[in-house]
Amino acid sequence: MAHKKGVGSSRNGRDSNPKYRGIKKYGGEFVTAGNIILRQCGTKWHPGANVGMGTDYTIYSLVDGVVQFAHKNKKAYKVNVVPVEYVEETSEELVEA
């Protein structure tokens, strides 16, 4: 006699919900304080200046500004947000020059 039950559609039906991970705001995009910049598993991207990290490794903006991605070292990246005041000052200097 067979010791294994027949495996059919009754044993299927386990599928997890989508997690919607990835980058939500790209480099150069304007963000307001509290905007989610990216969702991730673990720390592929690390928080930099004016950026916070949630318990699920979600990186979010702490100030209004422009998103900037940079290399932290050879393997890791970091995410910064350049504040609005700093962006406005540098753009005014470029116009005057």
Side-chain angles (χ1 to χ4, degrees):
M1 303 215 36
H3 292 151
K4 292 277 187 182
K5 288 191 178 220
V7 179
S9 62
S10 61
R11 293 278 176 109
N12 298 337
R14 290 176 302 279
D15 193 11
S16 61
N17 293 325
K19 301 302 176 206
Y20 302 107
R21 293 195 175 101
I23 297 176
K24 309 300 179 190
K25 299 286 185 182
Y26 292 91
E29 278 193 63
F30 180 79
V31 291
T32 57
N35 277 153
I36 292 173
I37 299 169
L38 63 92
R39 289 187 177 274
Q40 61 183 342
C41 279
T43 53
K44 181 174 181 180
W45 292 280
H46 294 265
N50 303 313
V51 172
M53 187 164 67
T55 56
D56 61 347
Y57 302 106
T58 296
I59 292 183
Y60 57 92
S61 174
L62 296 174
V63 296
D64 295 352
V66 177
V67 178
Q68 180 185 56
F69 288 88
H71 282 278
K72 184 174 182 182
N73 53 39
K74 279 188 175 180
K75 293 181 180 178
Y77 299 96
K78 69 176 178 179
V79 184
N80 301 317
V81 173
V82 180
V84 174
E85 299 86 27
Y86 184 74
V87 173
E88 289 174 358
E89 289 171 9
T90 55
S91 62
E92 287 173 4
E93 290 172 6
L94 293 173
V95 172
E96 292 172 2

